Amino acid sequence: MSRIDSPPSGPVPYERDLALKFLRDMLRIRRFEEKSAELYGEEKIRGFLHLYIGEEAVAVGALHALEPGDNVVATYREHGHALVRGVPIESIMAEMYGKHEGCSRGRGGSMHLFDARTRFFGGNAIVGGGLPLAVGLALADRMQGTERVTACFFGEGAMAEGAFHESMNLAALWHLPVLFCCENNLYAMGTALERSESQTDLCAKAASYNVPTLRADGQDIVSVHETTERAQRDVRKGRGPFFVEYQTYRFRAHSMFDPELYRDKHEVEEWKARGPLHTFSARLKAEGKLTEEEFLALDREALAEVDRAVAFAEAGSWEPVEDLARDLYTTEPEGT
């Protein structure tokens, strides 16, 4: 694949506190994901595991452009989104372990994180499965007169699914407040974009539904945040849906079972030179908003937070056997 540009550079247009908040959240995601990979190797985390390493700027930049009352729908690569959204890290890690204290009571695992309090509605293991859910949430808000944006994250692979086209069409037709956030990491599950899509200009594909579009450098948190700010303002003004493509790259394999035979290792290293963590921290240092000692302190905080989450998960409990059938069936109330 091509499209390897020079590393993100230029001034950071944020006050120091906000800039450090962005950096802190990217570090939290990176350390959480690295620990998850380690725990998976130890068989503490089972099932499927999809890591977000390399894409941290998208979740942090985009979610910080939203409001607390907005809806968020994500994919199976959603640990970072859940963290930034405010889902407690302890409940996320407990869910990864399958423990009862997890945010989905241990029943969802890595791919099905859920937290109604923060309006984080998944986590969805089906490619494109969150798209119609986002349209439904936005329709419900419209019918109830609630002013709220529904942000739906999905990969470029989902744009080959019928659910994408149906969802875009209905959102545009009904003028619904959906912010479609496409995390284009070029390879979907393991197939290069130009080998699976006849139209590789994703914004052109979205625009065919009369939906406005923008494109952001997904490795540059400034680009992500500013682009998302502009898009969500448009949606919030009642102008209907908006599509944003974040051009990003995952540094790790699609999942822990992926032999990663579809891309060249040299390409991965070239993309790592555009990594969001070290390029953003370098820009902050150049502007005097961050010192190396402060960076290391933030990193230690992130590591300690992850360690506390692991301890919480380790001490957690398994769901009681007598509760295993809970929520599986429902019965009609007497007299109906």
Side-chain angles (χ1 to χ4, degrees), residues 311-324:
F312 179 84
E314 291 278 359
S317 57
W318 302 110
E319 184 174 19
V321 173
E322 55 270 22
D323 284 358
L324 290 181

Side-chain angles (χ1 to χ4, degrees), residues 50-245:
H50 305 83
L51 301 177
Y52 202 62
I53 294 173
E55 301 185 30
E56 295 91 349
V58 177
V60 177
L63 287 170
H64 278 299
L66 301 177
E67 295 184 0
D70 291 337
N71 303 318
V72 178
V73 180
T75 68
Y76 45 71
R77 200 183 305 277
E78 89 281 30
H79 316 145
H81 305 78
L83 274 171
V84 178
R85 189 58 181 171
V87 182
I89 190 172
E90 295 84 1
S91 69
I92 296 175
M93 187 61 80
E95 188 62 36
M96 305 282 277
Y97 269 64
K99 295 294 184 70
H100 195 50
E101 291 78 9
C103 57
S104 299
R105 297 211 310 273
R107 294 188 171 196
S110 168
M111 296 194 289
H112 298 100
L113 304 179
F114 179 93
D115 185 63
R117 181 186 60 83
T118 58
R119 305 197 69 80
F120 186 77
F121 299 114
N124 196 305
I126 300 172
V127 174
L131 287 156
L133 299 181
V135 172
L137 286 165
L139 177 61
D141 286 333
R142 169 62 54 78
M143 294 175 71
Q144 294 173 6
T146 304
E147 295 184 2
R148 177 184 289 137
V149 171
T150 295
C152 182
F153 292 84
F154 54 95
E156 83 285 356
M159 292 184 66
E161 298 287 332
F164 169 77
H165 300 279
E166 294 163 355
S167 298
M168 289 290 291
N169 182 60
L170 287 179
L173 193 63
W174 294 341
H175 217 61
L176 298 177
V178 184
L179 178 59
F180 292 99
C181 303
C182 178
E183 299 178 304
N184 177 13
N185 62 30
L186 299 176
Y187 287 101
M189 180 176 174
T191 303
L193 180 61
E194 71 268 16
R195 295 175 67 90
S196 63
E197 299 279 344
S198 61
Q199 172 57 275
T200 58
D201 185 336
L202 304 184
C203 285
K205 183 172 289 189
S208 70
Y209 291 96
N210 290 324
V211 173
T213 69
L214 284 173
R215 183 176 288 115
D217 180 353
Q219 304 308 92
D220 180 358
I221 194 167
V222 175
S223 175
V224 170
H225 187 256
E226 292 186 342
T227 303
T228 310
E229 280 273 16
R230 178 180 168 187
Q232 65 86 26
R233 280 198 301 269
D234 202 74
V235 176
R236 212 174 294 281
K237 289 177 181 177
R239 297 173 181 169
F242 208 110
F243 174 92
V244 179
E245 176 195 355

